[in-house]
Amino acid sequence: ELSSWNLLTRTKKKYQFKDFRLTLLWILGIIIRYALFLPIRYKYIKCLKLNAIFCVISLSYLLRLLFRLQRKLHNFAYLTTFRTLARANRAKVGGVCVTNHASPLDSVVLSRDRCYAMVGQKQGGLLGILIKSIMYNKSHLLFERSEANDRKALCRRMKEHIKDDTLNPLLIYPEGTCVNSTGVLLFKKGAFEIGGTIYPVALEYDLMFGDIYWNSLAKGWLKYLIGIFTCWGLVCNVHYLPPAKIKPNETVIAFANRVKTEIAKHGQIPNLPWDGQLKRLNVKKSFRLKEQEFYSKILKTE
């Protein structure tokens, strides 16, 4: 349940409190969002965003023929596309930008300021076509799920990347999956053990206007986009935090937790120790036993 209702979705449970006036307000909101917002935004997307996608696809294929101007033109097409889509202590060459992750649109928000080399899994469908068109450049590290399981191979590719002064800084989402804005979950240590300077960024979304969280297990990319186009709006505060480096005698895990704490603090998001992949996996038996022991102690004291 949301901490405050933004007149969007209703609870899937049976309504415990029925109010006629609130229901009328909710119905009026549906009419406004789907009869007014959706057509206007669809027309805007059709005129601007689809043209931007067409332009970047065309430029992407043209860049393959223009070797000398490839990098400058790619950066121009990259920034133009994301500035059209999104309408601001940034990561520098040889560094790694890390942030909390709620949606693929996080990259749109961050890429309005500078070009990044993104680390992510290859996708299929409409999202995959868009990613391939924008990220065909070899500086991006796109991998198959089977390769993602080989942490050493991916770590080696990232280390080679940050040593090259001609490549853009890496953009990594250490949580490894999209997480709703009610918490910053466990950071994987891969981004913090490759060396280089870490540039933390905290993305703080305002849920009063719309929920940007994409749960790929519950809805596909097209259904998610429809929800985005029909919400009241997307408001995000971007907090660029001071660069961080691992301290002497500090472990990689401690370094990752320190950066995670700073992101949660400045983004005003609860700092939680859970692994985001739990939404795809069954909870470990050891975790269940630990919670059972905790509650049994509470019962004994009472």
Side-chain angles (χ1 to χ4, degrees), residues 183-218:
V184 180
L185 302 190
L186 180 69
F187 274 14
K188 305 297 174 56
K189 65 179 182 178
F192 302 90
E193 62 183 359
I194 61 176
T197 304
I198 298 294
Y199 294 86
V201 178
L203 298 180
E204 180 187 3
Y205 289 99
D206 192 336
L207 299 181
M208 286 296 296
F209 297 92
D211 188 6
I212 197 169
Y213 171 53
W214 180 37
N215 184 358
S216 58
L217 299 178

Side-chain angles (χ1 to χ4, degrees), residues 43-300:
K43 185 177 181 180
Y44 170 79
I45 293 164
K46 184 178 180 180
C47 295
L48 292 180
K49 294 189 177 181
L50 293 182
N51 288 338
I53 294 173
F54 174 78
C55 289
V56 75
I57 292 175
S58 301
L59 285 173
S60 297
Y61 285 101
L62 179 62
L63 293 179
R64 299 180 184 182
L65 303 176
L66 304 175
F67 296 99
R68 292 183 180 180
L69 299 177
Q70 181 178 11
R71 191 170 307 282
K72 291 184 179 180
L73 289 177
H74 172 263
N75 289 349
F76 172 79
Y78 184 101
L79 289 175
T80 301
T81 300
F82 281 109
R83 283 171 178 170
T84 302
L85 290 170
R87 296 270 200 248
N89 300 337
R90 296 168 177 82
K92 296 180 175 59
V93 173
V96 180
C97 176
V98 297
T99 181
N100 53 304
H101 191 29
S103 162
L105 298 182
D106 295 339
S107 300
V108 177
V109 174
L110 292 172
S111 295
R112 58 171 289 181
D113 288 332
R114 69 151 303 145
C115 294
Y116 290 99
M118 301 186 187
V119 180
Q121 181 186 341
K122 292 181 179 179
Q123 301 286 343
L126 178 62
L127 180 59
I129 295 175
L130 179 60
I131 290 177
K132 288 180 181 179
S133 300
I134 297 176
M135 302 182 183
Y136 84 92
N137 191 288
K138 293 182 179 179
S139 64
H140 299 289
L141 303 181
L142 298 178
F143 51 83
E144 300 288 353
R145 182 173 293 275
S146 58
E147 183 181 353
N149 294 329
D150 187 354
R151 188 178 61 84
K152 292 183 179 180
L154 183 60
C155 184
R156 182 177 64 253
R157 293 175 61 189
M158 291 191 292
K159 287 181 178 179
E160 294 173 354
H161 181 100
I162 63 174
K163 292 179 180 179
D164 192 338
D165 295 336
T166 64
L167 299 178
N168 293 319
L170 291 173
L171 173 58
I172 300 178
Y173 301 106
E175 290 168 303
T177 187
C178 292
V179 179
N180 61 31
S181 300
T182 59
V184 180
L185 302 190
L186 180 69
F187 274 14
K188 305 297 174 56
K189 65 179 182 178
F192 302 90
E193 62 183 359
I194 61 176
T197 304
I198 298 294
Y199 294 86
V201 178
L203 298 180
E204 180 187 3
Y205 289 99
D206 192 336
L207 299 181
M208 286 296 296
F209 297 92
D211 188 6
I212 197 169
Y213 171 53
W214 180 37
N215 184 358
S216 58
L217 299 178
K219 61 180 70 174
W221 177 243
L222 181 59
K223 185 177 180 181
Y224 171 73
L225 286 181
I226 293 175
I228 291 296
F229 296 155
T230 57
C231 71
W232 299 109
L234 295 178
V235 179
C236 179
N237 295 320
V238 182
H239 305 270
Y240 289 97
L241 309 184
K245 290 186 177 181
I246 191 169
K247 298 179 180 179
N249 301 323
E250 184 179 32
T251 65
V252 175
I253 295 178
F255 180 35
N257 288 332
R258 175 162 60 88
V259 173
K260 173 174 171 280
T261 300
E262 288 299 313
I263 290 177
K265 176 183 176 181
H266 287 82
Q268 301 182 48
I269 308 172
N271 186 6
L272 304 176
W274 308 328
D275 190 340
Q277 296 298 335
L278 286 175
K279 69 181 184 181
R280 294 187 173 89
L281 304 172
N282 294 325
V283 180
K284 292 182 179 180
K285 185 178 180 181
S286 59
F287 288 179
R288 295 199 302 269
L289 292 176
K290 185 177 180 180
E291 291 298 320
Q292 290 172 359
E293 292 176 358
F294 174 73
Y295 284 110
S296 65
K297 291 179 181 179
I298 295 178
L299 294 175
K300 290 180 179 179

